[in-house]
mmCIF file of all heavy atoms in Angstrom:
data_model
loop_
_atom_site.group_PDB
_atom_site.id
_atom_site.type_symbol
_atom_site.label_atom_id
_atom_site.label_comp_id
_atom_site.label_asym_id
_atom_site.label_seq_id
_atom_site.Cartn_x
_atom_site.Cartn_y
_atom_site.Cartn_z
ATOM 1 N N GLU A 569 238.586 155.879 -26.284
ATOM 2 C CA GLU A 569 240.043 156.043 -26.240
ATOM 3 C C GLU A 569 240.472 157.270 -25.447
ATOM 4 O O GLU A 569 241.562 157.282 -24.870
ATOM 5 C CB GLU A 569 240.607 156.125 -27.669
ATOM 6 C CG GLU A 569 240.477 154.831 -28.453
ATOM 7 C CD GLU A 569 241.131 154.926 -29.820
ATOM 8 O OE1 GLU A 569 241.685 156.011 -30.137
ATOM 9 O OE2 GLU A 569 241.086 153.935 -30.568
ATOM 10 N N GLU A 570 239.644 158.306 -25.421
ATOM 11 C CA GLU A 570 240.024 159.523 -24.715
ATOM 12 C C GLU A 570 240.119 159.329 -23.206
ATOM 13 O O GLU A 570 240.601 160.207 -22.488
ATOM 14 C CB GLU A 570 239.045 160.665 -25.023
ATOM 15 C CG GLU A 570 237.617 160.421 -24.613
ATOM 16 C CD GLU A 570 236.756 159.792 -25.700
ATOM 17 O OE1 GLU A 570 237.299 158.980 -26.471
ATOM 18 O OE2 GLU A 570 235.553 160.112 -25.761
ATOM 19 N N TYR A 571 239.671 158.151 -22.745
ATOM 20 C CA TYR A 571 239.774 157.852 -21.316
ATOM 21 C C TYR A 571 240.654 156.630 -21.064
ATOM 22 O O TYR A 571 240.500 155.939 -20.052
ATOM 23 C CB TYR A 571 238.380 157.642 -20.730
ATOM 24 C CG TYR A 571 237.450 158.806 -20.982
ATOM 25 C CD1 TYR A 571 236.276 158.638 -21.714
ATOM 26 C CD2 TYR A 571 237.766 160.086 -20.524
ATOM 27 C CE1 TYR A 571 235.432 159.715 -21.967
ATOM 28 C CE2 TYR A 571 236.932 161.164 -20.782
ATOM 29 C CZ TYR A 571 235.769 160.966 -21.507
ATOM 30 O OH TYR A 571 234.944 162.043 -21.762
ATOM 31 N N ASN A 572 241.598 156.374 -21.958
ATOM 32 C CA ASN A 572 242.495 155.224 -21.809
ATOM 33 C C ASN A 572 243.388 155.317 -20.581
ATOM 34 O O ASN A 572 243.986 154.326 -20.165
ATOM 35 C CB ASN A 572 243.379 155.069 -23.048
ATOM 36 C CG ASN A 572 242.674 154.348 -24.190
ATOM 37 O OD1 ASN A 572 241.588 153.796 -24.008
ATOM 38 N ND2 ASN A 572 243.269 154.365 -25.368
ATOM 39 N N ASP A 573 243.514 156.505 -20.021
ATOM 40 C CA ASP A 573 244.387 156.682 -18.848
ATOM 41 C C ASP A 573 243.655 156.504 -17.526
ATOM 42 O O ASP A 573 244.286 156.444 -16.468
ATOM 43 C CB ASP A 573 245.005 158.079 -18.872
ATOM 44 C CG ASP A 573 243.943 159.177 -18.814
ATOM 45 O OD1 ASP A 573 242.890 159.006 -19.453
ATOM 46 O OD2 ASP A 573 244.173 160.183 -18.129
ATOM 47 N N ILE A 574 242.323 156.395 -17.547
ATOM 48 C CA ILE A 574 241.552 156.367 -16.306
ATOM 49 C C ILE A 574 241.609 154.979 -15.661
ATOM 50 O O ILE A 574 241.467 153.960 -16.330
ATOM 51 C CB ILE A 574 240.082 156.758 -16.569
ATOM 52 C CG1 ILE A 574 240.009 158.122 -17.245
ATOM 53 C CG2 ILE A 574 239.294 156.763 -15.274
ATOM 54 C CD1 ILE A 574 240.650 159.244 -16.459
ATOM 55 N N ASN A 575 241.806 154.966 -14.363
ATOM 56 C CA ASN A 575 241.774 153.718 -13.604
ATOM 57 C C ASN A 575 240.315 153.288 -13.478
ATOM 58 O O ASN A 575 239.534 153.917 -12.744
ATOM 59 C CB ASN A 575 242.391 153.922 -12.222
ATOM 60 C CG ASN A 575 242.478 152.620 -11.425
ATOM 61 O OD1 ASN A 575 241.942 151.592 -11.828
ATOM 62 N ND2 ASN A 575 243.175 152.671 -10.306
ATOM 63 N N ILE A 576 239.948 152.231 -14.175
ATOM 64 C CA ILE A 576 238.542 151.820 -14.220
ATOM 65 C C ILE A 576 238.294 150.519 -13.461
ATOM 66 O O ILE A 576 237.256 149.867 -13.649
ATOM 67 C CB ILE A 576 238.040 151.666 -15.671
ATOM 68 C CG1 ILE A 576 238.849 150.594 -16.413
ATOM 69 C CG2 ILE A 576 238.088 153.013 -16.392
ATOM 70 C CD1 ILE A 576 238.277 150.249 -17.786
ATOM 71 N N ASP A 577 239.205 150.145 -12.584
ATOM 72 C CA ASP A 577 238.936 148.981 -11.744
ATOM 73 C C ASP A 577 237.717 149.265 -10.873
ATOM 74 O O ASP A 577 237.485 150.406 -10.447
ATOM 75 C CB ASP A 577 240.138 148.658 -10.863
ATOM 76 C CG ASP A 577 241.309 148.108 -11.663
ATOM 77 O OD1 ASP A 577 241.074 147.700 -12.820
ATOM 78 O OD2 ASP A 577 242.433 148.100 -11.149
ATOM 79 N N ALA A 578 236.938 148.237 -10.594
ATOM 80 C CA ALA A 578 235.681 148.428 -9.864
ATOM 81 C C ALA A 578 235.893 149.038 -8.487
ATOM 82 O O ALA A 578 235.118 149.901 -8.055
ATOM 83 C CB ALA A 578 234.948 147.086 -9.736
ATOM 84 N N SER A 579 236.943 148.608 -7.799
ATOM 85 C CA SER A 579 237.158 149.104 -6.442
ATOM 86 C C SER A 579 237.354 150.619 -6.379
ATOM 87 O O SER A 579 236.652 151.300 -5.620
ATOM 88 C CB SER A 579 238.354 148.382 -5.800
ATOM 89 O OG SER A 579 238.596 148.871 -4.507
ATOM 90 N N PRO A 580 238.290 151.205 -7.165
ATOM 91 C CA PRO A 580 238.418 152.671 -7.106
ATOM 92 C C PRO A 580 237.194 153.405 -7.640
ATOM 93 O O PRO A 580 236.871 154.503 -7.168
ATOM 94 C CB PRO A 580 239.658 152.948 -7.962
ATOM 95 C CG PRO A 580 239.837 151.747 -8.808
ATOM 96 C CD PRO A 580 239.343 150.609 -7.993
ATOM 97 N N LEU A 581 236.496 152.828 -8.610
ATOM 98 C CA LEU A 581 235.285 153.474 -9.106
ATOM 99 C C LEU A 581 234.229 153.566 -8.010
ATOM 100 O O LEU A 581 233.606 154.618 -7.805
ATOM 101 C CB LEU A 581 234.720 152.706 -10.310
ATOM 102 C CG LEU A 581 235.480 152.830 -11.630
ATOM 103 C CD1 LEU A 581 234.816 151.973 -12.703
ATOM 104 C CD2 LEU A 581 235.562 154.278 -12.083
ATOM 105 N N MET A 582 234.025 152.489 -7.288
ATOM 106 C CA MET A 582 233.042 152.507 -6.204
ATOM 107 C C MET A 582 233.480 153.429 -5.073
ATOM 108 O O MET A 582 232.651 154.087 -4.432
ATOM 109 C CB MET A 582 232.827 151.082 -5.681
ATOM 110 C CG MET A 582 232.144 150.157 -6.665
ATOM 111 S SD MET A 582 231.994 148.472 -6.040
ATOM 112 C CE MET A 582 230.845 148.691 -4.706
ATOM 113 N N ARG A 583 234.760 153.488 -4.852
ATOM 114 C CA ARG A 583 235.271 154.324 -3.771
ATOM 115 C C ARG A 583 235.156 155.809 -4.102
ATOM 116 O O ARG A 583 234.946 156.647 -3.208
ATOM 117 C CB ARG A 583 236.722 153.954 -3.484
ATOM 118 C CG ARG A 583 237.336 154.660 -2.287
ATOM 119 C CD ARG A 583 238.658 154.024 -1.884
ATOM 120 N NE ARG A 583 239.589 153.922 -2.994
ATOM 121 C CZ ARG A 583 240.032 152.780 -3.526
ATOM 122 N NH1 ARG A 583 239.564 151.633 -3.050
ATOM 123 N NH2 ARG A 583 240.877 152.755 -4.515
ATOM 124 N N ASN A 584 235.271 156.157 -5.379
ATOM 125 C CA ASN A 584 235.335 157.565 -5.776
ATOM 126 C C ASN A 584 234.043 158.118 -6.363
ATOM 127 O O ASN A 584 233.973 159.305 -6.686
ATOM 128 C CB ASN A 584 236.466 157.767 -6.791
ATOM 129 C CG ASN A 584 237.827 157.489 -6.188
ATOM 130 O OD1 ASN A 584 238.086 157.816 -5.036
ATOM 131 N ND2 ASN A 584 238.708 156.868 -6.970
ATOM 132 N N MET A 585 233.034 157.266 -6.518
ATOM 133 C CA MET A 585 231.743 157.736 -7.031
ATOM 134 C C MET A 585 230.666 157.610 -5.956
ATOM 135 O O MET A 585 230.629 156.631 -5.220
ATOM 136 C CB MET A 585 231.315 156.947 -8.274
ATOM 137 C CG MET A 585 232.103 157.242 -9.520
ATOM 138 S SD MET A 585 231.313 156.584 -11.026
ATOM 139 C CE MET A 585 230.971 154.897 -10.561
ATOM 140 N N GLU A 586 229.785 158.583 -5.912
ATOM 141 C CA GLU A 586 228.664 158.571 -4.978
ATOM 142 C C GLU A 586 227.356 158.441 -5.754
ATOM 143 O O GLU A 586 227.176 159.107 -6.777
ATOM 144 C CB GLU A 586 228.636 159.865 -4.160
ATOM 145 C CG GLU A 586 227.450 159.976 -3.224
ATOM 146 C CD GLU A 586 227.333 161.338 -2.583
ATOM 147 O OE1 GLU A 586 228.064 162.271 -3.008
ATOM 148 O OE2 GLU A 586 226.511 161.492 -1.661
ATOM 149 N N VAL A 587 226.487 157.583 -5.273
ATOM 150 C CA VAL A 587 225.149 157.494 -5.853
ATOM 151 C C VAL A 587 224.317 158.611 -5.230
ATOM 152 O O VAL A 587 224.033 158.602 -4.029
ATOM 153 C CB VAL A 587 224.503 156.122 -5.578
ATOM 154 C CG1 VAL A 587 223.067 156.092 -6.091
ATOM 155 C CG2 VAL A 587 225.310 155.012 -6.239
ATOM 156 N N THR A 588 223.942 159.591 -6.039
ATOM 157 C CA THR A 588 223.214 160.752 -5.530
ATOM 158 C C THR A 588 221.707 160.528 -5.464
ATOM 159 O O THR A 588 221.025 161.179 -4.686
ATOM 160 C CB THR A 588 223.510 161.991 -6.394
ATOM 161 O OG1 THR A 588 223.164 161.710 -7.765
ATOM 162 C CG2 THR A 588 224.992 162.350 -6.319
ATOM 163 N N SER A 589 221.179 159.626 -6.283
ATOM 164 C CA SER A 589 219.761 159.279 -6.211
ATOM 165 C C SER A 589 219.563 157.916 -6.861
ATOM 166 O O SER A 589 220.340 157.498 -7.723
ATOM 167 C CB SER A 589 218.885 160.324 -6.902
ATOM 168 O OG SER A 589 219.113 160.344 -8.295
ATOM 169 N N TYR A 590 218.483 157.236 -6.439
ATOM 170 C CA TYR A 590 218.210 155.898 -6.957
ATOM 171 C C TYR A 590 216.708 155.695 -7.066
ATOM 172 O O TYR A 590 215.972 155.923 -6.109
ATOM 173 C CB TYR A 590 218.822 154.841 -6.033
ATOM 174 C CG TYR A 590 218.412 153.426 -6.348
ATOM 175 C CD1 TYR A 590 218.551 152.905 -7.637
ATOM 176 C CD2 TYR A 590 217.882 152.590 -5.364
ATOM 177 C CE1 TYR A 590 218.180 151.614 -7.933
ATOM 178 C CE2 TYR A 590 217.512 151.290 -5.647
ATOM 179 C CZ TYR A 590 217.656 150.808 -6.932
ATOM 180 O OH TYR A 590 217.293 149.522 -7.232
ATOM 181 N N ASP A 591 216.259 155.295 -8.239
ATOM 182 C CA ASP A 591 214.858 154.974 -8.500
ATOM 183 C C ASP A 591 214.747 153.463 -8.623
ATOM 184 O O ASP A 591 215.091 152.880 -9.657
ATOM 185 C CB ASP A 591 214.385 155.662 -9.788
ATOM 186 C CG ASP A 591 212.890 155.506 -10.035
ATOM 187 O OD1 ASP A 591 212.327 154.488 -9.589
ATOM 188 O OD2 ASP A 591 212.300 156.389 -10.682
ATOM 189 N N SER A 592 214.252 152.825 -7.564
ATOM 190 C CA SER A 592 214.194 151.362 -7.558
ATOM 191 C C SER A 592 213.180 150.826 -8.558
ATOM 192 O O SER A 592 213.338 149.716 -9.080
ATOM 193 C CB SER A 592 213.861 150.858 -6.147
ATOM 194 O OG SER A 592 212.611 151.363 -5.721
ATOM 195 N N GLU A 593 212.109 151.596 -8.837
ATOM 196 C CA GLU A 593 211.100 151.141 -9.791
ATOM 197 C C GLU A 593 211.669 151.078 -11.209
ATOM 198 O O GLU A 593 211.414 150.139 -11.954
ATOM 199 C CB GLU A 593 209.893 152.084 -9.761
ATOM 200 C CG GLU A 593 209.118 152.070 -8.448
ATOM 201 C CD GLU A 593 208.453 150.744 -8.199
ATOM 202 O OE1 GLU A 593 208.024 150.114 -9.176
ATOM 203 O OE2 GLU A 593 208.359 150.331 -7.029
ATOM 204 N N LYS A 594 212.449 152.073 -11.577
ATOM 205 C CA LYS A 594 213.024 152.127 -12.921
ATOM 206 C C LYS A 594 214.398 151.473 -12.993
ATOM 207 O O LYS A 594 214.912 151.235 -14.087
ATOM 208 C CB LYS A 594 213.127 153.580 -13.389
ATOM 209 C CG LYS A 594 211.781 154.280 -13.526
ATOM 210 C CD LYS A 594 211.953 155.723 -13.963
ATOM 211 C CE LYS A 594 210.606 156.419 -14.088
ATOM 212 N NZ LYS A 594 210.778 157.852 -14.478
ATOM 213 N N GLY A 595 215.011 151.200 -11.844
ATOM 214 C CA GLY A 595 216.348 150.623 -11.835
ATOM 215 C C GLY A 595 217.413 151.586 -12.302
ATOM 216 O O GLY A 595 218.382 151.178 -12.947
ATOM 217 N N LEU A 596 217.249 152.870 -11.996
ATOM 218 C CA LEU A 596 218.178 153.906 -12.444
ATOM 219 C C LEU A 596 218.853 154.559 -11.241
ATOM 220 O O LEU A 596 218.203 154.886 -10.245
ATOM 221 C CB LEU A 596 217.454 154.971 -13.259
ATOM 222 C CG LEU A 596 216.860 154.538 -14.598
ATOM 223 C CD1 LEU A 596 216.076 155.682 -15.227
ATOM 224 C CD2 LEU A 596 217.952 154.063 -15.551
ATOM 225 N N ALA A 597 220.162 154.767 -11.366
ATOM 226 C CA ALA A 597 220.933 155.437 -10.316
ATOM 227 C C ALA A 597 221.720 156.590 -10.924
ATOM 228 O O ALA A 597 222.367 156.426 -11.967
ATOM 229 C CB ALA A 597 221.885 154.458 -9.646
ATOM 230 N N ASP A 598 221.655 157.747 -10.292
ATOM 231 C CA ASP A 598 222.475 158.890 -10.681
ATOM 232 C C ASP A 598 223.748 158.877 -9.843
ATOM 233 O O ASP A 598 223.687 158.715 -8.613
ATOM 234 C CB ASP A 598 221.728 160.204 -10.451
ATOM 235 C CG ASP A 598 220.523 160.356 -11.375
ATOM 236 O OD1 ASP A 598 220.601 159.889 -12.525
ATOM 237 O OD2 ASP A 598 219.509 160.924 -10.936
ATOM 238 N N VAL A 599 224.890 159.039 -10.498
ATOM 239 C CA VAL A 599 226.170 159.006 -9.794
ATOM 240 C C VAL A 599 226.986 160.248 -10.117
ATOM 241 O O VAL A 599 226.817 160.865 -11.175
ATOM 242 C CB VAL A 599 226.990 157.746 -10.155
ATOM 243 C CG1 VAL A 599 226.225 156.479 -9.803
ATOM 244 C CG2 VAL A 599 227.360 157.734 -11.632
ATOM 245 N N HIS A 600 227.873 160.589 -9.212
ATOM 246 C CA HIS A 600 228.789 161.706 -9.423
ATOM 247 C C HIS A 600 230.101 161.383 -8.720
ATOM 248 O O HIS A 600 230.112 160.802 -7.630
ATOM 249 C CB HIS A 600 228.221 163.006 -8.865
ATOM 250 C CG HIS A 600 229.186 164.154 -8.944
ATOM 251 N ND1 HIS A 600 229.993 164.523 -7.892
ATOM 252 C CD2 HIS A 600 229.493 164.981 -9.980
ATOM 253 C CE1 HIS A 600 230.749 165.542 -8.256
ATOM 254 N NE2 HIS A 600 230.466 165.835 -9.513
ATOM 255 N N GLY A 601 231.221 161.750 -9.357
ATOM 256 C CA GLY A 601 232.503 161.504 -8.719
ATOM 257 C C GLY A 601 233.683 162.090 -9.471
ATOM 258 O O GLY A 601 233.564 162.524 -10.618
ATOM 259 N N ILE A 602 234.805 162.107 -8.790
ATOM 260 C CA ILE A 602 236.092 162.492 -9.377
ATOM 261 C C ILE A 602 236.907 161.225 -9.529
ATOM 262 O O ILE A 602 237.230 160.553 -8.534
ATOM 263 C CB ILE A 602 236.844 163.488 -8.481
ATOM 264 C CG1 ILE A 602 235.980 164.710 -8.167
ATOM 265 C CG2 ILE A 602 238.156 163.891 -9.132
ATOM 266 C CD1 ILE A 602 235.644 165.557 -9.365
ATOM 267 N N LEU A 603 237.274 160.886 -10.770
ATOM 268 C CA LEU A 603 238.015 159.660 -11.029
ATOM 269 C C LEU A 603 239.473 159.991 -11.348
ATOM 270 O O LEU A 603 239.782 161.041 -11.919
ATOM 271 C CB LEU A 603 237.387 158.890 -12.179
ATOM 272 C CG LEU A 603 235.897 158.546 -12.023
ATOM 273 C CD1 LEU A 603 235.432 157.679 -13.192
ATOM 274 C CD2 LEU A 603 235.625 157.857 -10.685
ATOM 275 N N GLN A 604 240.349 159.069 -10.997
ATOM 276 C CA GLN A 604 241.788 159.276 -11.152
ATOM 277 C C GLN A 604 242.335 158.481 -12.328
ATOM 278 O O GLN A 604 241.748 157.488 -12.770
ATOM 279 C CB GLN A 604 242.506 158.864 -9.867
ATOM 280 C CG GLN A 604 242.087 159.678 -8.650
ATOM 281 C CD GLN A 604 242.722 159.173 -7.374
ATOM 282 O OE1 GLN A 604 243.055 157.996 -7.253
ATOM 283 N NE2 GLN A 604 242.900 160.065 -6.406
ATOM 284 N N ASP A 605 243.486 158.932 -12.813
ATOM 285 C CA ASP A 605 244.173 158.156 -13.840
ATOM 286 C C ASP A 605 245.026 157.086 -13.155
ATOM 287 O O ASP A 605 245.020 156.965 -11.919
ATOM 288 C CB ASP A 605 245.009 159.059 -14.760
ATOM 289 C CG ASP A 605 246.113 159.817 -14.025
ATOM 290 O OD1 ASP A 605 246.547 159.359 -12.940
ATOM 291 O OD2 ASP A 605 246.547 160.867 -14.534
ATOM 292 N N VAL A 606 245.755 156.311 -13.947
ATOM 293 C CA VAL A 606 246.506 155.192 -13.384
ATOM 294 C C VAL A 606 247.665 155.643 -12.508
ATOM 295 O O VAL A 606 248.245 154.833 -11.762
ATOM 296 C CB VAL A 606 247.010 154.270 -14.511
ATOM 297 C CG1 VAL A 606 245.846 153.566 -15.177
ATOM 298 C CG2 VAL A 606 247.845 155.036 -15.513
ATOM 299 N N ASN A 607 248.027 156.926 -12.550
ATOM 300 C CA ASN A 607 249.070 157.465 -11.673
ATOM 301 C C ASN A 607 248.506 158.030 -10.376
ATOM 302 O O ASN A 607 249.257 158.560 -9.546
ATOM 303 C CB ASN A 607 249.868 158.555 -12.399
ATOM 304 C CG ASN A 607 250.775 157.980 -13.466
ATOM 305 O OD1 ASN A 607 251.165 156.811 -13.398
ATOM 306 N ND2 ASN A 607 251.111 158.787 -14.473
ATOM 307 N N GLY A 608 247.184 157.957 -10.219
ATOM 308 C CA GLY A 608 246.565 158.457 -9.004
ATOM 309 C C GLY A 608 246.249 159.937 -9.021
ATOM 310 O O GLY A 608 245.938 160.523 -7.968
ATOM 311 N N THR A 609 246.272 160.568 -10.198
ATOM 312 C CA THR A 609 245.968 161.984 -10.335
ATOM 313 C C THR A 609 244.505 162.171 -10.695
ATOM 314 O O THR A 609 243.973 161.457 -11.550
ATOM 315 C CB THR A 609 246.846 162.621 -11.434
ATOM 316 O OG1 THR A 609 248.219 162.420 -11.105
ATOM 317 C CG2 THR A 609 246.567 164.105 -11.566
ATOM 318 N N ASP A 610 243.843 163.139 -10.036
ATOM 319 C CA ASP A 610 242.460 163.443 -10.404
ATOM 320 C C ASP A 610 242.406 163.826 -11.871
ATOM 321 O O ASP A 610 243.089 164.764 -12.304
ATOM 322 C CB ASP A 610 241.918 164.586 -9.543
ATOM 323 C CG ASP A 610 241.706 164.180 -8.097
ATOM 324 O OD1 ASP A 610 241.755 162.980 -7.810
ATOM 325 O OD2 ASP A 610 241.499 165.083 -7.251
ATOM 326 N N ALA A 611 241.604 163.106 -12.648
ATOM 327 C CA ALA A 611 241.643 163.280 -14.097
ATOM 328 C C ALA A 611 240.323 163.707 -14.711
ATOM 329 O O ALA A 611 240.299 164.525 -15.628
ATOM 330 C CB ALA A 611 242.122 161.988 -14.760
ATOM 331 N N ILE A 612 239.212 163.159 -14.238
ATOM 332 C CA ILE A 612 237.910 163.527 -14.818
ATOM 333 C C ILE A 612 236.867 163.658 -13.724
ATOM 334 O O ILE A 612 236.947 163.015 -12.671
ATOM 335 C CB ILE A 612 237.419 162.503 -15.866
ATOM 336 C CG1 ILE A 612 237.203 161.122 -15.234
ATOM 337 C CG2 ILE A 612 238.360 162.428 -17.053
ATOM 338 C CD1 ILE A 612 236.545 160.107 -16.166
ATOM 339 N N GLU A 613 235.884 164.501 -13.980
ATOM 340 C CA GLU A 613 234.682 164.583 -13.152
ATOM 341 C C GLU A 613 233.530 164.033 -13.976
ATOM 342 O O GLU A 613 233.337 164.431 -15.120
ATOM 343 C CB GLU A 613 234.391 166.028 -12.738
ATOM 344 C CG GLU A 613 233.129 166.167 -11.894
ATOM 345 C CD GLU A 613 232.869 167.604 -11.457
ATOM 346 O OE1 GLU A 613 233.580 168.507 -11.942
ATOM 347 O OE2 GLU A 613 231.942 167.812 -10.634
ATOM 348 N N ILE A 614 232.782 163.109 -13.391
ATOM 349 C CA ILE A 614 231.719 162.447 -14.137
ATOM 350 C C ILE A 614 230.397 162.548 -13.393
ATOM 351 O O ILE A 614 230.340 162.413 -12.169
ATOM 352 C CB ILE A 614 232.059 160.957 -14.407
ATOM 353 C CG1 ILE A 614 230.940 160.284 -15.225
ATOM 354 C CG2 ILE A 614 232.320 160.203 -13.108
ATOM 355 C CD1 ILE A 614 231.300 158.896 -15.726
ATOM 356 N N THR A 615 229.349 162.839 -14.139
ATOM 357 C CA THR A 615 227.969 162.756 -13.662
ATOM 358 C C THR A 615 227.225 161.877 -14.654
ATOM 359 O O THR A 615 227.225 162.164 -15.853
ATOM 360 C CB THR A 615 227.308 164.145 -13.596
ATOM 361 O OG1 THR A 615 228.059 164.974 -12.704
ATOM 362 C CG2 THR A 615 225.876 164.034 -13.092
ATOM 363 N N ALA A 616 226.601 160.817 -14.174
ATOM 364 C CA ALA A 616 225.987 159.849 -15.095
ATOM 365 C C ALA A 616 224.718 159.262 -14.505
ATOM 366 O O ALA A 616 224.523 159.237 -13.289
ATOM 367 C CB ALA A 616 226.977 158.732 -15.416
ATOM 368 N N THR A 617 223.854 158.789 -15.396
ATOM 369 C CA THR A 617 222.673 158.009 -15.029
ATOM 370 C C THR A 617 222.903 156.584 -15.505
ATOM 371 O O THR A 617 223.158 156.359 -16.691
ATOM 372 C CB THR A 617 221.398 158.582 -15.666
ATOM 373 O OG1 THR A 617 221.190 159.911 -15.178
ATOM 374 C CG2 THR A 617 220.188 157.735 -15.314
ATOM 375 N N CYS A 618 222.816 155.642 -14.585
ATOM 376 C CA CYS A 618 223.177 154.253 -14.884
ATOM 377 C C CYS A 618 222.011 153.308 -14.645
ATOM 378 O O CYS A 618 221.228 153.486 -13.706
ATOM 379 C CB CYS A 618 224.349 153.814 -14.005
ATOM 380 S SG CYS A 618 225.801 154.872 -14.078
#
Side-chain angles (χ1 to χ4, degrees):
E569 293 184 0
E570 61 269 34
Y571 305 119
N572 278 350
D573 61 321
I574 304 302
N575 184 351
I576 61 172
D577 290 344
S579 178
L581 287 178
M582 292 177 67
R583 186 168 53 245
N584 295 322
M585 288 193 310
E586 176 188 10
V587 175
T588 57
S589 67
Y590 171 53
D591 187 331
S592 60
E593 294 294 326
K594 297 179 180 178
L596 294 175
D598 293 326
V599 301
H600 175 264
I602 305 295
L603 304 185
Q604 299 175 333
D605 62 23
V606 292
N607 288 336
T609 302
D610 290 348
I612 62 172
E613 179 178 8
I614 181 170
T615 300
T617 298
C618 306

